[in-house]
Amino acid sequence: MEPVARNRRRTALEWEQGDNQYRKSKGKSRYKPYWNDNLKLLWDKTCEHEKVWLKWKGCGTKKKRVREQFLTSRNAFDKLLRKEKRSYQMRQQQELLNLSTENNTRDFWKKIGKLGIANDRRSSIPMEVLTSEGNVCKDIKTVYDTWKCKYEHLFNVTDCKYDEDFLCTVQHQLENEIINLSGKESEILNNDISYDDVEKAVYRAKLNKAGGLDQICAEFLRNNSCVNILFKIINSGMQISLYEIALETDKY
């Protein structure tokens, strides 16, 4: 019985090692060009906190703290991931700008072709048409001739029931409506921006979001001093723009 037990233990050990190796090979897929060591560390830390939280069997208060640690690490990982993605996109844009200024345009268009899902694109238009008998025809010449006839009929309609007078009437009505709407909208847009409008816009911004190019988050702006500064900047910008428009109109 002892050799059999040893064989069983060895088999179980080998199975456990194979299972661990399978789990390692089936890890998170990181096919991201902006993936780096910092993201890997934060990802591993987030996974550890998640495992501790899911396997926690203690009291509710401690489990709540463990969950807060997991949420904090997850938010930090998401924030860094978005930041690295934006940085990568900015670098790609700068490379395209540099290539666009060079004389050799081949590299520029080659770079454009690699953006997005260009490499995975496939022709999804079926090369087949229905004949008048209801059968499916895959002959290329027949398909092209059928498409040609359909497009010619589409862009050269002869059985039109509308004349030139009707067309002129519709165009005149559209022009009058556009002029009236543009006048009303311009009056609304040219109104002064109040302090309440700026304050509502600041407090309506979403929290826990990464900052833009200025690296200023929405949480930092939620105070009276920042709202007052934004209010003055916006109003001064509006006054300067209106003054420049008035100068340009006086020239003509």
Side-chain angles (χ1 to χ4, degrees), residues 86-102 108 111 115:
R86 288 195 303 270
S87 301
Y88 172 76
Q89 291 175 349
M90 292 293 292
R91 290 195 299 269
Q92 293 293 316
Q93 292 176 7
Q94 189 62 38
E95 289 180 4
L96 287 174
L97 289 175
N98 295 335
L99 290 174
S100 63
T101 57
E102 296 180 358
F108 173 75
K111 189 77 174 178
L115 295 177

Side-chain angles (χ1 to χ4, degrees), residues 11 37 43 46 49-50 71 90 93 100 105 130 149 164 174 177 182 191-192 207 229 241:
T11 305
D37 295 335
W43 172 254
T46 304
H49 288 166
E50 185 181 13
L71 294 177
M90 292 293 292
Q93 292 176 7
S100 63
T105 59
L130 287 175
C149 295
E164 293 294 333
L174 289 175
E177 290 180 0
S182 62
N191 290 334
D192 294 335
L207 302 179
I229 292 172
S241 61

Side-chain angles (χ1 to χ4, degrees), residues 40-88:
K40 183 179 182 302
L41 292 175
L42 285 177
W43 172 254
D44 295 339
K45 185 178 179 181
T46 304
C47 292
E48 291 177 1
H49 288 166
E50 185 181 13
K51 290 179 181 178
V52 173
W53 171 55
L54 294 176
K55 295 181 180 180
W56 188 267
K57 297 181 180 179
C59 60
T61 56
K62 292 184 178 180
K63 188 172 183 179
K64 186 177 180 181
R65 293 177 185 174
V66 173
R67 183 176 181 274
E68 289 177 355
Q69 291 179 357
F70 162 64
L71 294 177
T72 303
S73 59
R74 187 185 65 179
N75 293 335
F77 171 76
D78 292 339
K79 187 176 181 179
L80 183 61
L81 181 66
R82 291 192 296 267
K83 183 178 179 181
E84 294 294 337
K85 184 178 180 180
R86 288 195 303 270
S87 301
Y88 172 76

Side-chain angles (χ1 to χ4, degrees), residues 192-208:
D192 294 335
I193 298 175
S194 62
Y195 183 87
D196 294 335
D197 295 336
V198 179
E199 188 177 13
K200 289 179 182 178
V202 169
Y203 282 89
R204 201 183 297 125
K206 294 183 179 180
L207 302 179
N208 297 325

